[in-house]
Amino acid sequence: MPQNSVTLLSIGSLLVVVASSLSDHVARRRSRRVPRGAAERSPSLYELAYLAGGVRRVVVTALAALARAGVVRFDTDGHVQAVAVGGREDAIEADIIHRLSSRDDRRPVTELCAEMPESAAITALAERLTRQKLLLPAAYRPPVWSRRLLGLAISIAGAAAVISILTGHLLGAVLAVVAVGIGVVAWRRGFRLNKTPLTDAGNYVLANTLTRNRQGEIPGMADVAVAMIGSLGLINPEVRRGLQIAEAFPVGNAEDSWTWKPTQTPPKDYAGGSGDQFGGLPPGAGLI
């Protein structure tokens, strides 16, 4: 095969992969777009925790709050026990205390986390976030056509790389390999995005809350750092050791928990474009 033909084939495969990667990214973003008003919501502590990490993060945040209130006590081996009962108005906290007090001995934090997807309070919380357009509905499915198009483009680039190598065309091989690399990165990025079931508004609410918290604009929410970034946000080392065990090992249904990548909103003088880029949300709303 002439060298020019091989080079053109590689260049074409590169352009196809880039176009397919952009199409897949845009299609997935648009499938998560919601009305502007959703980004203006101010979720509660446990709603933030659920958005940031699902059931497991809610349990970790609630246990941290209960430990700070002196209601539960942690051991350094990742066990927890109730030292006081009753008096908790929040349904999630009351459910946790009930589960802990139903047994007289200590319980592994991971065991408690594995039970909590059954909690009616957490189910109601998830349904509320879905109605508020911050959490994707259970029936949500990402676009299939863009994924298939990207897979086809990667296959074409792979074929171009093989042809270039067999025919001894170095430039064509390099271009085709670069195309495959771009396609694989785009494929994996889409896969990671699918693991976090948030709308663009949900992502923005989390990013905006984390930014305000780190700037000291959220007084009276001592546990918000735990809700946003997990047990690393704790000050008490004993509680942190106990809760890190819960976050280190998968427990319960894998679909019930995830990890949001902490992201802050741009500065107030940010001039990176109009909010319409992310479905009418403020700048940075589409960042994760």
Side-chain angles (χ1 to χ4, degrees), residues 71-123:
V71 178
V72 300
R73 181 173 62 235
F74 284 88
D75 295 328
T76 55
D77 59 355
H79 284 67
V80 61
Q81 64 181 133
V83 293
V85 295
R88 309 308 299 182
E89 296 182 359
D90 183 85
I92 294 174
E93 294 180 4
D95 191 355
I96 289 176
I97 292 300
H98 172 72
R99 292 172 188 269
L100 289 175
S101 59
S102 63
R103 289 173 46 174
D104 296 332
D105 57 347
R106 308 174 307 146
R107 296 189 64 183
V109 175
T110 51
E111 181 182 299
L112 178 64
C113 289
E115 293 180 2
M116 290 306 291
E118 306 169 1
S119 170
I122 289 184
T123 300

Side-chain angles (χ1 to χ4, degrees), residues 1-280:
M1 182 178 290
Q3 183 172 355
N4 288 342
S5 299
V6 175
T7 302
L8 288 175
L9 174 63
S10 299
I11 293 175
S13 67
L14 177 60
L15 294 176
V16 169
V17 167
V18 171
S20 300
S21 300
L22 292 175
S23 297
D24 186 58
H25 176 75
V26 171
R28 289 172 184 278
R29 284 297 183 200
R30 287 185 174 178
S31 72
R32 293 167 177 252
R33 293 170 72 173
V34 294
R36 175 186 291 271
E40 300 171 358
R41 302 186 185 279
S42 299
S44 66
L45 177 65
Y46 296 129
E47 289 174 339
L48 288 172
Y50 194 94
L51 290 173
V55 175
R56 193 183 316 163
R57 184 62 60 79
V58 172
V59 177
V60 166
T61 304
L63 287 174
L66 291 170
R68 185 169 51 82
V71 178
V72 300
R73 181 173 62 235
F74 284 88
D75 295 328
T76 55
D77 59 355
H79 284 67
V80 61
Q81 64 181 133
V83 293
V85 295
R88 309 308 299 182
E89 296 182 359
D90 183 85
I92 294 174
E93 294 180 4
D95 191 355
I96 289 176
I97 292 300
H98 172 72
R99 292 172 188 269
L100 289 175
S101 59
S102 63
R103 289 173 46 174
D104 296 332
D105 57 347
R106 308 174 307 146
R107 296 189 64 183
V109 175
T110 51
E111 181 182 299
L112 178 64
C113 289
E115 293 180 2
M116 290 306 291
E118 306 169 1
S119 170
I122 289 184
T123 300
L125 184 151
E127 292 174 350
R128 186 163 62 250
L129 289 171
T130 302
R131 290 195 302 269
Q132 293 175 351
K133 308 298 183 183
L134 300 179
L135 189 70
L136 292 170
Y140 167 82
R141 294 294 180 270
V144 176
W145 67 267
S146 62
R147 202 64 166 170
R148 291 176 177 173
L149 183 62
L150 179 58
L152 177 61
I154 295 173
S155 299
I156 293 173
V162 172
I163 293 173
S164 299
I165 293 172
L166 292 178
T167 55
H169 297 300
L170 180 60
L171 178 59
V174 170
L175 291 173
V177 169
V178 170
V180 172
I182 292 174
V184 170
V185 169
W187 185 278
R188 295 183 64 180
R189 190 171 187 273
F191 178 76
R192 289 195 299 270
L193 179 62
N194 291 344
K195 295 177 67 175
T196 307
L198 304 180
T199 65
D200 267 346
N203 274 306
Y204 176 77
V205 166
L206 285 175
N208 189 46
T209 304
L210 181 62
T211 302
R212 292 173 56 212
N213 175 256
R214 290 184 171 176
Q215 293 175 350
E217 297 178 6
I218 308 184
M221 291 185 68
D223 301 301
V224 70
V226 182
M228 304 297 293
I229 64 176
S231 57
L232 292 177
L234 281 163
I235 298 176
N236 187 308
E238 183 175 325
V239 177
R240 183 166 62 245
R241 281 193 294 271
L243 291 180
Q244 280 177 338
I245 293 175
E247 296 196 315
F249 300 99
V251 291
N253 189 333
E255 296 181 356
D256 291 325
S257 296
W258 54 87
T259 301
W260 172 72
K261 182 181 178 182
T263 303
Q264 296 191 64
T265 51
K268 294 181 180 179
D269 57 352
Y270 175 79
S274 103
D276 290 338
Q277 182 179 3
F278 298 112

